[in-house]
Amino acid sequence: MQIDPRGPRFAAVLTSLVLAAVLITGSEVLLALQAAVFALAAIGGLRLSPYGRLYRTFVRPRLAPPTETEDERPPRFAQGVGLVFAVVGTLGFLTGVTWLGLLATAFALAAAFLNAVFGYCLGCEMYLLIRRAQGRLDTGA
């Protein structure tokens, strides 16, 4: 499925705000909610993401059509990576290992911030590297 690449970037802005709030407040509940957002996008696709719905409903209609589209799979994989960090962070907060919660949240925030501000998606790049490696393994190179 092809998507408007501005949607994941918009989601990265909202994700960055949520994760920054988690770092400021230490709220495991807020991080767990962000994990749920990641899970919906990673498992159900970007169309099920609440941030994607906000983009399609309120932002996209006010923009010109996208000049290019992109494959949904890399950003969806990136949501799965975000989910792992959010779950680890939530578990850290809930078990009293606060440094783990803060560290996992900070890593997720760094990745979301890179996408939000610079359009560089670390999870997407990981996806592409894994696919290339799989291709080399399949061809015996």
Side-chain angles (χ1 to χ4, degrees):
M1 172 181 209
Q2 295 292 309
I3 60 167
D4 181 344
R6 298 171 295 185
R9 196 161 179 188
F10 172 80
V13 170
L14 297 180
T15 299
S16 295
L17 293 172
V18 170
L19 294 173
V22 170
L23 287 178
I24 292 166
T25 64
S27 172
E28 67 272 0
V29 172
L30 192 54
L31 187 54
L33 290 172
Q34 179 60 52
V37 170
F38 283 140
L40 284 170
I43 297 166
L46 300 181
R47 290 208 162 278
L48 292 183
S49 167
Y51 299 161
R53 287 181 188 220
L54 287 173
Y55 174 77
R56 287 189 310 279
T57 303
F58 297 109
V59 178
R60 174 69 188 88
R62 292 166 175 69
L63 301 175
T67 56
E68 58 186 41
T69 59
E70 69 180 17
D71 185 1
E72 177 191 39
R73 290 175 295 183
R76 190 170 171 179
F77 177 84
Q79 294 292 300
V81 173
L83 173 61
V84 170
F85 279 94
V87 167
V88 168
T90 300
L91 291 173
F93 284 124
L94 289 173
T95 60
V97 187
T98 305
W99 66 266
L100 180 60
L102 293 171
L103 184 64
T105 303
F107 277 127
L109 174 58
F113 183 81
L114 280 174
N115 194 359
V117 176
F118 300 108
Y120 186 79
C121 176
L122 283 173
C124 299
E125 294 301 320
M126 285 175 53
Y127 175 85
L128 296 172
L129 284 171
I130 292 167
R131 294 297 301 212
R132 284 187 202 117
Q134 285 175 335
R136 287 190 181 122
L137 289 174
D138 292 342
T139 61

